[in-house]
Amino acid sequence: MSAIEPGTDGSAEDVTPPHRLGVRVYYEDTDFSGFVYHASYLRFLERGRTELLRDLAGDQSDLHRDARGLVFVVRRMSLDFLRPARMDDLLTVLTRTRALRGASMQLAQDVRRGDEVLVSAEVTVACVRDGRAVRLPDALRRRLAPDESA
C-alpha cells in the first residue's frame, strides 16, 4: 500500500482525495534494460504536481503572472522505488496534499500500474518570489487544504 492511501499510516484525516494523471511509458522513458529509467519518474511526478495545480488554479504561467512572479520549487523529495515499469505500460500518478505551511506544501505522490504501487514519493514544495519564500496565496491554500472532516 501507498503512503497516500487513507488508513496506511493513521493519518487519513490529513490528506486530500488524490489527483490522478495517466501517463504512458514511451521508449524515451526507458533505459537499456527496457525498464523505466529512475529519473523518468521525476518527470512523471512533476507532471502530476503541475496538473494538480492546473486543476486548482489554472495555468502556472497565469499564476506566475497574476501573483507577480510566484513560482513553486521542490525543496525536498524522498522516493521509494518499489517495482519497475516497462515500455508501453499505462501508469497513474496520484498526488495528494499532506500538509500546508506558510510558504510550503507537503505532497504525497504514487506512480501506479493498476493497483500496484511502483514508486512512492514525499515532496516538499516551496512557494517563492524573487528567490525568497512567500506565503501560499489564500485562494490556492483553500483549494489545496487537506480535508479535515474525513
Side-chain angles (χ1 to χ4, degrees), residues 45-53 74 77 107 109 123:
L45 295 167
E46 175 69 26
R47 291 176 199 164
R49 292 189 304 275
T50 298
E51 292 302 323
L52 168 70
L53 286 173
V74 172
M77 181 180 279
L107 303 171
Q109 293 188 279
V123 185

Side-chain angles (χ1 to χ4, degrees), residues 7-146:
T8 61
D9 64 359
S11 60
E13 68 279 358
D14 68 351
V15 294
T16 58
H19 175 275
R20 297 175 184 273
L21 174 67
V23 175
R24 174 75 63 191
V25 175
Y26 296 107
Y27 180 78
E28 66 187 19
D29 301 315
T30 63
D31 61 18
F32 70 94
S33 70
F35 293 112
V36 171
Y37 181 63
H38 71 279
S40 295
Y41 291 106
L42 297 175
R43 290 193 313 272
F44 301 160
L45 295 167
E46 175 69 26
R47 291 176 199 164
R49 292 189 304 275
T50 298
E51 292 302 323
L52 168 70
L53 286 173
R54 183 184 315 279
D55 285 355
L56 296 177
D59 291 345
Q60 285 193 51
S61 56
D62 293 342
L63 183 61
H64 175 77
R65 182 192 64 242
D66 296 344
R68 302 177 333 271
L70 182 83
V71 295
F72 297 97
V73 297
V74 172
R75 183 178 182 286
R76 181 183 167 284
M77 181 180 279
S78 173
L79 294 142
D80 285 323
F81 296 95
L82 304 169
R83 299 202 185 317
R86 296 178 186 256
M87 189 168 56
D88 294 324
D89 280 353
L90 182 57
L91 308 177
T92 303
V93 179
L94 287 89
T95 305
R96 289 187 183 197
T97 304
R98 295 289 264 165
L100 296 171
R101 306 268 188 278
S104 67
M105 57 184 134
Q106 292 176 339
L107 303 171
Q109 293 188 279
D110 279 349
V111 177
R112 295 182 182 201
R113 181 179 47 229
D115 291 334
E116 183 179 32
V117 178
L118 306 180
V119 175
S120 184
E122 293 289 330
V123 185
T124 302
V125 177
C127 185
V128 175
R129 182 182 298 122
D130 297 324
R132 300 183 71 106
V134 295
R135 184 172 172 77
L136 286 162
D138 289 336
L140 181 58
R141 177 181 298 279
R142 283 189 298 276
R143 291 183 186 119
L144 284 166

